[in-house]
Amino acid sequence: MSIFTRRTFLQTSGAVAAGAALPLGAPAFIRSANAADTVKLGCLFSSSGTMANLEGRLNYVAKMAAAEINAAGGVNGKTVEVVASDPASDWPLYAQVGRQMLTETKVAALFGCWTSVSRKTVLPVVEQNDGLLFYPLHFEGDENSKNVVYVNSPPASSVLPAVDYLMSPDGVEAKRFFMIGSDYVWPRTINKQLKGYWKSKGIEESAWKEEYVPFSFSNFQTLVNQVRAFADAPGGKCVVVLTVVGSSIPDFLREFANQGITATDVPILGLDMVEADLEGLDTKKLVGHLNCWAYLQQAKGEANVKFLSGWKDFVAKEKVPFSADVAIDPMVSTYDAVHLWAMAAKKAGSFDVPEVRKAFAGLSFDCPSGYKIAMTAENNYVSRGVFIGSVNEAQGFDVLWQSKDTPKPVPMSPFG
Amino acid sequence: MRMGRRLGLLLLAFAAAWGSPALAYDRAQIAAQACFGAAGLSEAAATLTAGAASATSEDAAWAATLTGALLDKTIRCGAGASTIESPSGSVDAATLAKAAPADGPAPVLSLKNRPLVETARAAATLFAGATAGERAAALRALERRAASLPPDLFETAAAREPDAGLKEQILGVGQSALLNSPDVAKRIAAIERIAAQPSRRAETQIAALKRDPAYGKEAAFAAAVDAGLTSIDRWLRVSSVANTLYNGLSFASILFMAAVGLAIIFGLMGVINLAQGEFIMLGAYVTYAVQEALRAVAPGLLEWYLILAIPVVFLVVAAVGVALEATLVRRLYTRPLMTLLATWAVSLLIVNLVRVGVGTQNLQFVTPSWLAGGKLLVGDFIVTWNRLFAIVFAGVTLVATWAVLKRTRLGLNIRAVTQNRAMAGCIGVPTRRVDMMAFGLGSGLAGLAGLALCPIYNVNPQMGSNFVIDSFMVVVLGGVGTLAGTVVAALGVGQINVLIEPLYGAVAAKVIVLLMIVGFLQWRPEGLYAVKGRRK
């Protein structure tokens, strides 16, 4: 599949290059007219391959945010135009497409990546070209680049509060942990930090177990057997910390429920689990399992009502091939990202990356999550609130707990 | 959780001390507490559980309704009173009289409160359940938490139980609730009862008694604990072997289903069909179409859509296969490498057609009640119905395929063409037609694999690519072209995978199995079973 998509990529990029070369030969007034009224933003989200169902929707939400900005008069006198691409869930392709977008399409900023491995491939590209990448996922932290805006949260302000909740008397007083993740950077780093965190709380090493599965792994029968065995051993309440990604999430949940384990026996904390992962599952047997994100669809507040109805209208108007009734955190984070970029560009009065970057300090935005999210001059992290969601019967999450305010993001983990 | 339970026990002790057996619930207060944050809810649930044994049957019925409403989220917590939505309109949560619906939301049950409320509902249902079935279900829910419940709950329930069989069961469960009784004889009986249903949980529960003071003092008690542990341990070992065998078999059945179509197309015809995975995916989508059609036309049959879809899936996917053979593959028999590229292109085309036509999301399948969940057979050995379905389905497919190949004219022709195409043509076998039918058969079998996978994996346009590699692995290992080889290879790969996984992890298992296969093919390039006869 990858060669084919690479081939189509070469073809399309050839066409793009030809298209880019054309204006050079065109009379000067056409070129300037073109450049005068639009500013381009690039999207690096896959609409094919294993991440398609999740990442695909982010292209559209970026377009929706751009449409909102344009309706309000654009930025610095220009219309915002979103250029989408398809890196086909093929990690090296993200870097290639990213480079193309920065150097040839001349986008003012990139919005993209879901998996940490794709972000890691794009990172050198944005750093070499001094571009801007807005990354909308919560992630393992331990990274701080002046070219990346980390719109979502590092573990200290997403995962750790959720783990704290599980270990508290309000949660389940969890004492033992079964970590299951896909075998790549985000689960491995998160689990390393979690282990460090538990050690700092005086929890013995025998109280956790760690297992990794390949990407798009689906046969979870043996692993769930192991979870049952581990959970029934003495030593206190066991929880599963789930960091598998993509199609492995519903497969795991289905097997878990099928073997008769309920959330009251062994709760799952799904760090990657979003509303869209529950599609096609019988969630009656999964009620009570947890996730943690900076946004849940059931978040209260006017901003969320506005966002959800805006998405519904956009889906209907633009014939978007995704559900109009499902909103997930990375969608909102992408939406926030486009708005934050527009605010910064407006404040800077320019689209140049160094100018826009300087304008980040002090920006704040009324996020659909109901929190006022903010940026400081310290780094390119955004302060977000935290939600813990509990799976309900209707393939969604109820808000079980949410932070009082927006914790200050700590990029580097002291527990790694 | 512990706090709440202790509070409940305290309350109970209080009630017992006053000698008032029929302590009525303060309904208004409990209903208000249930709506008053997580702490209030814990308290309300503990009160309901503790009072279940002494409540009047009317109170028990009310408690069952209230806790049921909390679990089903049909309760509305308003500013003043809370109400419960029921099919006949909304009623007041405390009095169950008709009332205007309150405008608040239902409280979200925390992980701490959910089991408390579930226990409270089960305790109330044990007394107020209308049918013996309902009460038996409630008893099952209470069984696992028996040791933490007031023992008189079971005694009272047994005394009131009209159904003799259920009465016995309640008394039995009540016995295991006496693990902490002051009477040593009762404790020993409880240990024996718990050990009779061996599981790791039971082992943990009994092993904890080794630290009990009675273990050092009472020889009979110590003997009962040791005997219980030995017996549980033995059963756990049996169940762990059974689990491994069952997991291996179920994985093997999936591998076999994915590979059997390929064994015919690649094995017998020598065509490298990279669209095989997409045929599996198409099979799943046709199953979905059948489900949706049944939902529209005959909702009563929805429960059986997986069975009813079998012929449809086979015929539709076989037809797609025949069409593919007639338009594309037929022209490329002399150029195997070109078939590889052409079928690859077809696979991409199918994936994208489905993506554009249906979308990328996972399909929503109804889980028929006969496929949901599983049964704990012995110890920790659980048989899940969806896996059992896949195993049986694979078995039936194996027999059917074998019968077609060995017992029908088509099978005879396929074998003849495989062994010597030219000679078969000379004696009047319509080789072109046989090719087409064989390709159709292989495609149809792939479609059936998709059907068998619906209850286990999620179904989306990308699912096919997961199976292509596995199925080629199995077919090549088995010895290209033999059905028996496919079966043995699937069983072997499945079992070895399951054996390695707990030891070295799933990632290593995949790699080790692949290396083993590579090593094996170095030694025996023709695979497990070499095909007799001349191959071209």
Side-chain angles (χ1 to χ4, degrees):
Chain A
M1 180 173 279
S2 61
I3 294 178
F4 176 82
T5 46
R6 203 163 282 148
R7 184 189 300 157
T8 50
F9 165 70
L10 289 177
Q11 282 167 357
T12 47
S13 58
V16 169
L22 194 69
L24 293 177
F29 70 90
I30 297 180
R31 220 184 320 151
S32 61
N34 247 344
D37 52 15
T38 64
V39 55
K40 285 177 180 156
L41 299 181
C43 276
L44 284 178
F45 296 114
S46 297
S47 39
S48 59
T50 151
M51 300 305 292
N53 187 31
L54 295 168
E55 282 189 23
R57 22 193 123 206
L58 306 188
N59 283 315
Y60 294 98
V61 88
K63 284 183 183 158
M64 167 182 154
E68 282 180 16
I69 292 164
N70 289 336
V75 185
N76 299 343
K78 294 201 186 192
T79 315
V80 181
E81 182 193 340
V82 172
V83 186
S85 64
D86 181 16
S89 309
D90 181 12
W91 321 135
L93 209 51
Y94 280 80
Q96 279 185 46
V97 178
R99 190 187 307 275
Q100 196 90 29
M101 289 235 186
L102 286 173
T103 56
E104 309 217 349
T105 321
K106 303 268 184 222
V107 295
L110 286 170
F111 297 82
C113 306
W114 182 295
T115 55
S116 283
V117 48
S118 59
R119 187 192 70 252
K120 292 275 185 201
T121 65
V122 180
L123 190 62
V125 172
V126 284
E127 286 185 343
Q128 277 161 23
N129 296 293
D130 200 20
L132 263 187
L133 169 70
F134 285 79
Y135 178 63
L137 266 283
H138 73 178
F139 74 123
E140 72 279 1
D142 283 352
E143 188 183 293
N144 197 355
S145 165
K146 66 180 174 46
N147 297 97
V148 181
V149 180
Y150 304 93
V151 187
N152 217 307
S153 311
S157 37
S158 63
V159 177
L160 293 190
V163 171
D164 269 337
Y165 174 83
L166 278 175
M167 290 166 68
S168 75
D170 281 342
V172 288
E173 294 181 82
K175 299 271 190 301
R176 294 174 331 120
F177 307 88
F178 200 120
M179 295 169 266
I180 301 175
S182 293
D183 195 16
Y184 79 111
V185 56
W186 133 263
R188 287 212 178 252
T189 319
I190 276 280
N191 288 341
K192 202 167 111 199
Q193 292 176 8
L194 282 175
K195 285 185 284 180
Y197 182 66
W198 291 324
K199 243 180 229 159
S200 79
K201 296 251 168 186
I203 293 177
E204 298 281 326
E205 210 163 297
S206 59
W208 62 72
K209 201 167 164 166
E210 213 177 345
E211 289 289 344
Y212 294 97
V213 298
F215 265 112
S216 71
F217 183 77
S218 45
N219 203 37
F220 283 102
Q221 204 177 9
T222 319
L223 259 177
V224 175
N225 279 171
Q226 281 173 266
V227 171
R228 283 197 296 140
F230 185 75
D232 283 345
K237 187 86 176 172
C238 168
V239 299
V240 172
V241 179
L242 189 72
T243 40
V244 298
V245 295
S247 61
S248 295
I249 297 175
D251 281 335
F252 180 81
L253 293 176
R254 179 174 296 138
E255 183 64 37
F256 205 74
N258 243 335
Q259 293 204 13
I261 318 178
T262 61
T264 50
D265 296 329
V266 186
I268 300 172
L269 174 63
L271 296 184
D272 262 328
M273 205 153 81
V274 290
E275 286 83 349
D277 288 315
L278 302 177
E279 274 172 2
L281 286 177
D282 174 14
T283 50
K284 280 197 192 73
K285 291 184 179 162
L286 296 165
V287 169
H289 291 304
L290 307 176
N291 73 348
C292 67
W293 282 100
Y295 167 84
L296 288 180
Q297 191 170 352
Q298 296 214 357
K300 290 211 172 49
E302 237 170 79
N304 195 27
V305 174
K306 192 175 140 239
F307 173 79
L308 289 174
S309 73
W311 173 245
K312 211 170 198 148
D313 295 346
F314 190 78
V315 167
K317 212 175 82 194
E318 305 288 323
K319 300 206 169 40
V320 176
F322 290 102
S323 168
D325 310 315
V326 176
I328 58 179
D329 173 308
M331 275 169 63
V332 168
S333 300
T334 307
Y335 173 84
D336 292 346
V338 176
H339 277 286
L340 280 175
W341 170 84
M343 289 162 85
K346 221 175 255 178
K347 188 172 156 198
S350 157
F351 297 119
D352 284 345
V353 171
E355 299 296 318
V356 172
R357 189 161 44 216
K358 261 184 243 158
F360 283 148
L363 286 189
S364 70
F365 177 67
D366 282 315
C367 173
S369 63
Y371 293 98
K372 202 174 188 73
I373 63 174
M375 294 186 76
T376 60
E378 260 172 78
N379 50 35
N380 284 342
Y381 278 78
V382 178
S383 305
R384 303 281 305 261
V386 194
F387 289 84
I388 295 178
S390 160
V391 175
N392 62 23
E393 295 83 354
Q395 301 183 337
F397 291 92
D398 291 330
V399 178
L400 190 58
W401 177 89
Q402 68 182 96
S403 61
K404 275 210 183 64
D405 43 20
T406 55
K408 190 168 170 275
V410 185
M412 300 297 169
S413 167
F415 304 108
Chain B
M1 186 192 291
R2 219 167 287 143
M3 273 286 282
R5 200 173 290 144
R6 205 170 294 151
L7 195 85
L9 287 175
L10 260 177
L11 262 173
L12 184 84
F14 198 60
W18 278 102
S20 54
L23 178 79
Y25 288 130
D26 185 348
R27 291 194 190 183
Q29 198 202 341
I30 294 175
Q33 267 180 334
C35 278
F36 190 68
L41 189 54
S42 316
E43 224 164 284
T47 315
L48 288 176
T49 310
S54 51
T56 61
S57 55
E58 197 188 41
D59 265 353
W62 166 77
T65 311
L66 178 75
T67 46
L70 280 164
L71 288 167
D72 300 340
K73 291 204 275 190
T74 50
I75 193 165
R76 296 281 165 270
C77 289
S82 40
T83 59
I84 296 173
E85 308 286 316
S86 67
S88 56
S90 59
V91 293
D92 187 273
T95 59
L96 298 187
K98 279 212 182 309
D103 56 351
V108 177
L109 292 183
S110 71
L111 275 175
K112 177 183 152 191
N113 280 336
R114 185 171 292 280
L116 294 183
V117 176
E118 275 172 4
T119 307
R121 176 168 70 168
T125 311
L126 192 61
F127 290 96
T131 65
E134 265 178 55
R135 295 193 295 272
L139 182 68
R140 276 197 297 279
L142 290 176
E143 191 165 9
R144 293 177 53 186
R145 306 191 179 104
S148 60
L149 290 167
D152 73 332
L153 182 89
F154 296 105
E155 279 164 28
T156 323
R160 284 200 217 161
E161 179 56 55
D163 184 300
L166 192 54
K167 191 180 192 130
E168 277 299 301
Q169 286 177 35
I170 296 175
L171 281 175
V173 175
Q175 248 177 30
S176 48
L178 293 172
L179 202 56
N180 299 316
S181 149
D183 184 348
V184 175
K186 280 187 181 166
R187 296 187 78 177
I188 292 175
I191 291 170
E192 277 162 4
R193 203 189 135 73
I194 291 171
Q197 282 161 328
S199 70
R200 276 205 186 70
R201 197 186 299 262
E203 189 181 33
T204 307
Q205 208 177 353
I206 294 184
L209 294 177
K210 283 198 163 184
R211 288 193 299 276
D212 197 283
Y215 186 76
K217 277 185 241 159
E218 305 265 351
F221 183 79
V225 169
D226 291 340
L229 281 179
T230 325
S231 125
I232 292 179
D233 193 50
R234 192 182 322 123
W235 282 114
L236 280 184
R237 253 180 286 159
V238 170
S239 74
S240 121
V241 172
N243 251 334
T244 312
L245 285 176
Y246 179 70
N247 291 355
L249 189 62
S250 89
F251 191 34
S253 70
I254 292 166
L255 287 174
F256 171 77
M257 284 306 299
V260 62
L262 200 72
I264 290 174
I265 294 179
F266 180 49
L268 297 179
M269 304 173 65
V271 173
I272 303 169
N273 177 23
L274 282 183
Q276 192 72 12
E278 277 57 45
F279 285 162
I280 296 177
M281 182 261 287
L282 276 187
Y285 273 79
V286 175
T287 312
Y288 180 72
V290 171
Q291 174 196 290
E292 291 306 294
L294 280 179
R295 196 199 295 276
V297 180
L301 293 174
L302 197 56
E303 187 87 326
W304 304 102
Y305 74 94
L306 275 172
I307 308 291
L308 295 171
I310 292 174
V312 184
V313 168
F314 183 82
L315 290 176
V316 171
V317 183
V320 174
V322 167
L324 177 64
E325 202 273 349
T327 54
L328 204 66
V329 179
R330 159 165 304 182
R331 287 152 224 284
L332 301 169
Y333 278 133
T334 48
R335 288 179 289 176
L337 210 61
M338 288 299 286
T339 23
L340 186 144
L341 286 177
T343 50
W344 188 12
V346 170
S347 84
L348 292 168
L349 179 74
I350 297 178
V351 169
N352 284 302
L353 280 180
V354 173
R355 265 181 57 200
V356 172
V358 191
T360 52
Q361 77 282 5
N362 289 329
L363 291 188
Q364 185 95 41
F365 280 95
V366 174
T367 317
S369 55
W370 50 278
L371 267 189
K375 183 155 177 60
L376 209 55
L377 280 189
V378 59
D380 276 341
F381 175 43
I382 192 166
V383 170
T384 42
W385 302 135
N386 59 355
R387 302 267 176 182
L388 192 64
F389 174 75
I391 293 172
V392 171
F393 197 86
V396 172
T397 311
L398 170 63
V399 172
T401 315
W402 181 84
V404 167
L405 286 181
K406 300 277 159 147
R407 291 287 150 93
T408 63
R409 176 164 282 272
L410 172 67
L412 187 69
N413 285 347
I414 290 178
R415 283 180 292 143
V417 173
T418 311
Q419 287 184 4
N420 193 327
R421 179 176 292 271
M423 185 63 82
C426 285
I427 58 168
V429 175
T431 53
R432 283 300 185 217
R433 234 176 94 87
V434 169
D435 284 339
M436 192 167 80
M437 298 301 281
F439 204 90
L441 176 64
S443 315
L445 286 173
L448 290 184
L451 183 146
L453 290 169
C454 288
I456 300 181
Y457 293 159
N458 43 60
V459 172
N460 54 43
Q462 273 86 33
M463 71 182 282
S465 55
N466 289 342
F467 295 106
V468 171
I469 298 169
D470 282 348
S471 44
F472 268 98
M473 205 165 75
V474 168
V475 171
V476 173
L477 176 66
V480 172
T482 69
L483 197 57
T486 311
V487 175
V488 175
L491 284 172
V493 170
Q495 201 62 60
I496 291 173
N497 232 309
V498 167
L499 282 174
I500 299 176
E501 231 175 70
L503 298 178
Y504 302 106
V507 182
K510 272 221 139 129
V511 176
I512 293 171
V513 168
L514 207 61
L515 287 178
M516 283 167 82
I517 291 175
V518 169
F520 183 82
L521 290 177
Q522 291 293 317
W523 173 56
R524 259 185 93 106
E526 69 276 26
L528 283 167
Y529 292 79
V531 182
K532 294 181 200 97
R534 272 188 285 168
R535 281 185 51 79
K536 302 195 171 186

